[in-house]
Amino acid sequence: MNSDNRFNRRQQLALGTVIMLSPALRLFPSQSVIMAGRASWLCAAAAVPLLLAWLYFMSSFMSHRQSGEGLPEFILRTLGPIAGKITLAVLSLWFLIYGGFVLRSGADRFIVTIYPSSGPAAFSVTMGLIALAAVLKKPRTMVRFARIVKPVLMGVLFLVAFFSLFSLDFSNLLPVTVHDVMPVMRGSVMAVDIVASAVFYICMLEGGCTDGSAGHFGAFSRWLTGSCLLLTMLSVIIVGSFGADLCVRLTKPFFALVRNLVFFKTVERVEALVVMLWIFPDFLLVSAVLYSAQYCLRLIFGKDPTYNGERLTDFSGGRWVIWLCCAVCVAASLFIAPTPASLDFWSAKIVPYVSLAIFFVLLPLVYAAGRMRKSI
């Protein structure tokens, strides 16, 4: 992995924050309230201990990398040429399916909130082509873009949270009893998936979690805790404004909240602007997933997956794989989840639990296999 893939700590965390915002608004408020009801605002806090334990594992795991290795190269060396390539192929397939899902869910958000008479194909194809252009560039392009859009997105979130305080009803959040403990723990699974996914894709792009410098694990731990606080804030303003029963029935609760807000008693109906801003997290998430898929596949084919100044149309070094991955990703978005009900099923059941299986089953197995083979 060359210097084009090296990011500093602040860049890593900015990228992780923006990537996290895409599933945070799509998945967390609605799914956590289904599991925990009015106590769902505690789910993100309940996820912190497990996330910190997993982060500690990832830091220990990634600390065994050799110079110049990213997570894909590390997996390949740890498991050996056969098992390593099989593992990377499985991960690549999942990345392409997940990328298609993100494109499809982003298109659905436009259809539900702004263009109710439209189909998803135009949105999915357009976003896929934009992500392709980003992946054909240096990885630093994505990171720098994340640094630019993060303040805007966070500013919008906090502005929405501030004006939501005027419609907040604390009877929608309290009381919380001991009977809510188990539902809250079940709901915390979604928070674990969202935050761990951001860390995982940082590792896929650059290595992440640790670079051997002092305080790196501490910085990621503080970021992780802050991310859970952000998820808590989202739950508080959404559930506190609508109540648990109504949140369960809402398709896009955050954007429904924005639709009902009035800013400074004069400005209203700004949901179109907010929806347009949320193109950026979707774009960066699809770009990160697509980059990870093509990187793994080019390693499998024995090609150099790093950027070496090639032209966009240069197919040397296996760069044709990037175009193929984009085509598969866009095709997946067109065929996956054709109905809103199937999209909800993918969002609530398939995507989070496959991701959790990768984080908490596959990666520990890779670590254990490396220990047994004495390759790490």
Side-chain angles (χ1 to χ4, degrees):
M1 183 172 287
N2 66 9
S3 60
D4 289 329
N5 295 62
R6 296 298 182 188
F7 318 136
N8 62 42
R9 186 186 308 169
R10 186 173 297 177
Q11 291 171 329
Q12 290 175 350
L13 298 180
L15 180 64
T17 298
V18 179
I19 286 177
M20 184 196 70
L21 289 177
S22 179
L25 295 188
R26 181 188 72 242
L27 178 65
F28 184 69
S30 56
Q31 292 303 313
S32 62
V33 78
I34 290 174
M35 297 181 181
R38 71 173 66 191
S40 59
W41 61 279
L42 294 171
C43 290
V48 172
L50 181 58
L51 281 169
L52 287 174
W54 182 76
L55 182 64
Y56 182 81
F57 158 74
M58 286 297 293
S59 296
S60 175
F61 180 52
M62 298 297 291
S63 67
H64 294 283
R65 289 179 300 153
Q66 295 180 354
S67 176
E69 279 188 336
L71 181 55
E73 292 96 340
F74 184 38
I75 291 175
L76 190 60
R77 177 175 62 84
T78 300
L79 296 180
I82 297 178
K85 288 183 178 181
I86 292 174
T87 301
L88 291 182
V90 171
L91 286 175
S92 298
L93 177 61
W94 170 245
F95 292 151
L96 295 175
I97 293 174
Y98 180 51
F101 167 78
V102 176
L103 291 176
R104 176 65 181 87
S105 61
D108 183 71
R109 185 171 62 248
F110 275 103
I111 294 170
V112 171
T113 56
I114 304 178
Y115 304 106
S117 301
S118 302
F123 300 110
S124 298
V125 172
T126 302
M127 184 62 71
L129 292 176
I130 296 173
L132 170 64
V135 175
L136 287 169
K137 295 287 187 179
K138 297 179 182 180
R140 287 183 181 273
T141 303
M142 288 182 276
V143 178
R144 289 169 179 167
F145 185 74
R147 288 290 304 276
I148 293 171
V149 302
K150 177 189 170 184
V152 178
L153 296 172
M154 297 302 291
V156 169
L157 272 181
F158 285 114
L159 188 66
V160 170
F162 175 77
F163 282 97
S164 298
L165 294 177
F166 299 101
S167 61
L168 208 61
D169 184 354
F170 286 96
S171 65
N172 291 329
L173 304 171
L174 298 171
V176 176
T177 69
V178 68
H179 300 291
D180 294 313
V181 172
M182 290 308 299
V184 165
M185 296 305 296
R186 289 194 295 270
S188 69
V189 171
M190 297 301 169
V192 171
D193 170 56
I194 290 168
V195 180
S197 292
V199 176
F200 176 72
Y201 287 112
I202 292 174
C203 293
M204 290 300 300
L205 264 68
E206 191 271 342
C209 285
T210 179
D211 59 1
S213 61
H216 207 74
F217 174 77
F220 267 81
S221 299
R222 291 189 294 273
W223 172 84
L224 183 151
T225 304
S227 298
C228 289
L229 288 175
L230 180 62
L231 293 177
T232 300
M233 181 191 75
L234 287 173
S235 288
V236 168
I237 62 174
I238 292 173
V239 180
S241 297
F242 293 129
D245 293 337
L246 181 57
C247 283
V248 171
R249 297 195 295 269
L250 290 173
T251 305
K252 301 286 187 295
F254 175 77
F255 297 104
L257 175 67
V258 174
R259 183 182 300 118
N260 293 328
L261 290 181
V262 177
F263 298 89
F264 305 110
K265 298 182 180 180
T266 56
V267 181
E268 57 182 333
R269 301 306 301 269
V270 297
E271 72 273 12
L273 174 61
V274 177
V275 170
M276 293 297 293
L277 284 175
W278 249 255
I279 290 177
F280 299 137
D282 286 349
F283 157 70
L284 282 172
L285 179 56
V286 173
S287 299
V289 171
L290 188 58
Y291 183 89
S292 301
Q294 64 85 28
Y295 197 99
C296 292
L297 287 175
R298 291 170 77 185
L299 277 179
I300 293 172
F301 295 146
K303 303 295 183 179
D304 178 13
T306 56
Y307 178 91
N308 290 310
E310 303 97 329
R311 300 185 305 274
L312 295 184
T313 56
D314 188 353
F315 284 74
S316 63
R319 283 171 65 81
W320 59 270
V321 174
I322 304 176
W323 298 77
L324 175 62
C325 286
C326 179
V328 173
C329 189
V330 171
S333 72
L334 300 178
F335 293 101
I336 195 174
T339 65
S342 59
L343 185 62
D344 291 340
F345 179 77
W346 272 82
S347 182
K349 302 298 182 182
I350 297 180
V351 170
Y353 291 106
V354 171
S355 298
L356 289 171
I358 293 173
F359 307 151
F360 290 94
V361 178
L362 178 62
L363 293 180
L365 286 176
V366 171
Y367 183 80
R371 285 296 193 182
M372 293 176 61
R373 298 180 71 250
K374 298 182 179 180
S375 55
I376 58 175

